Amino acid sequence: MRIAPAMLSATATLIAVTGSLPAQSPGYTDTPKLPSGWHVHDSGRPHPRVVDPGPAPAKPAPVPADAIVLFDGKSLNAWRGRKGDAKWSIRDGYAEVNRTGDIQTKQEFGDCQLHVEWATPAEVKGDSQGRGNSGVFLFGRYEIQVLDSYENVTYADGQAAALYGQQPPLVNACRKPGEWQTYDILFRAPRFLDDGSVKSPARVTVIHNGIVVHDCQDYLGPSAHRNLPKYRKHGPKGPIRLQDHGNPVRFRNIWVREL
Ligand code: MG
């Protein structure tokens, strides 16, 4: 983009006054359109308002008696890596993404209640999708985005708690970088007919730091980058996958209850 001298001086004044650049909106307008009318990762799609969820919990949330514990802070035995064992670093009760690839549960789940605690790096590096990016994928396919969305602008359908590439959260309930955050996810698996068509889509309710950010929201299909989601018939159960997007995001206290 060519910037007119007048714009340059206005920008310079703004930087002088605020100490930072005005919020740009990264994203795309050359991608296909979603049924909502917005392009996938639309740079013009409005950003959800920010809601302060209150202080981070001092310790991990209690685990219900009938929950299947997927990560207790000590062992990733319930998970496998891209090749063999899950190799994320474990220390002080959390697992940290370390560029060894995504990890996914050995056990598969269908309809479920999933609790995940995560924290993006306290030392802020990068911006937009490059800051604290990870993700929670139900069935290894349907992503709930993990991102540092505290004063970090990215396209609305890619910010923290978005159904990536499809649906922004109702509000931005992100805590500061380095602080522990929670996702409580109620997931209903999609149902398919014999001919492969969708009988009922995947549906999710997500509570981020105690705040509802999706209320029975349908997935349009598996999460996709710069592309329209498209369902392909699969079985009634699948693994839970956590994304290694190259940023050292931390996870702790992960448990699931089958429904
Ligand atoms: Mg992600």
Side-chain angles (χ1 to χ4, degrees):
M1 185 178 81
R2 184 169 288 166
I3 300 174
M7 263 177 81
L8 264 178
S9 73
T11 306
T13 305
L14 202 68
I15 293 168
V17 170
T18 65
S20 63
L21 279 163
Q24 301 293 315
S25 208
Y28 304 91
T29 50
D30 62 345
T31 46
K33 275 192 177 176
L34 296 160
S36 59
W38 298 105
H39 290 275
V40 174
H41 318 312
D42 201 317
S43 52
R45 194 165 183 170
H47 294 94
R49 69 190 163 90
V50 172
V51 178
D52 181 355
K59 48 183 185 176
V63 180
D66 66 349
I68 297 167
V69 175
L70 297 174
F71 179 57
D72 63 358
K74 299 187 193 93
S75 151
L76 285 170
N77 284 345
W79 303 77
R80 64 166 62 98
R82 206 179 280 159
K83 296 177 213 150
D85 294 340
K87 294 206 171 74
W88 288 7
S89 318
I90 300 174
R91 73 173 82 88
D92 300 335
Y94 61 81
E96 187 172 276
V97 176
N98 59 3
R99 293 180 181 260
T100 55
D102 294 2
I103 63 172
Q104 67 177 46
T105 55
K106 294 173 183 169
Q107 192 174 343
E108 300 196 334
F109 305 96
D111 298 347
C112 66
Q113 172 186 356
L114 175 64
H115 176 86
V116 178
E117 301 185 13
W118 54 273
T120 59
E123 187 191 347
V124 171
K125 280 186 186 167
D127 57 12
S128 187
Q129 293 291 301
R131 187 186 295 183
N133 195 336
S134 182
V136 178
F137 290 74
L138 282 299
F139 277 73
R141 291 174 175 82
Y142 306 103
E143 184 178 18
I144 294 149
Q145 172 74 311
V146 168
L147 195 78
D148 176 1
S149 286
Y150 187 85
E151 298 178 355
N152 175 38
V153 181
T154 190
Y155 39 85
D157 70 20
Q159 68 177 71
L163 309 189
Y164 184 80
Q166 302 181 26
Q167 186 69 35
L170 292 167
V171 295
N172 179 350
C174 232
R175 290 202 173 102
K176 290 178 183 172
E179 295 186 357
W180 283 103
Q181 315 205 35
T182 58
Y183 280 164
D184 287 283
I185 299 163
L186 286 176
F187 186 79
R188 184 160 166 88
R191 268 63 168 172
F192 297 93
L193 298 172
D194 287 342
D195 67 2
S197 60
V198 177
K199 184 180 175 204
S200 58
R203 176 169 289 180
V204 75
T205 291
V206 181
I207 298 172
H208 181 192
N209 295 332
I211 296 174
V212 176
V213 290
H214 294 286
D215 179 10
C216 293
Q217 181 65 47
D218 288 350
Y219 276 91
L220 302 164
S223 304
H225 178 65
R226 285 181 55 87
N227 235 326
L228 287 177
K230 190 173 179 346
Y231 276 107
R232 279 217 188 108
K233 187 180 179 184
H234 56 69
K237 292 189 174 188
I240 294 162
R241 178 160 65 89
L242 300 178
Q243 185 181 45
D244 181 343
H245 204 281
N247 303 143
V249 175
R250 296 172 180 179
F251 289 90
R252 73 178 185 189
N253 193 27
I254 306 175
W255 50 262
V256 63
R257 295 181 63 252
E258 295 185 277
L259 300 175

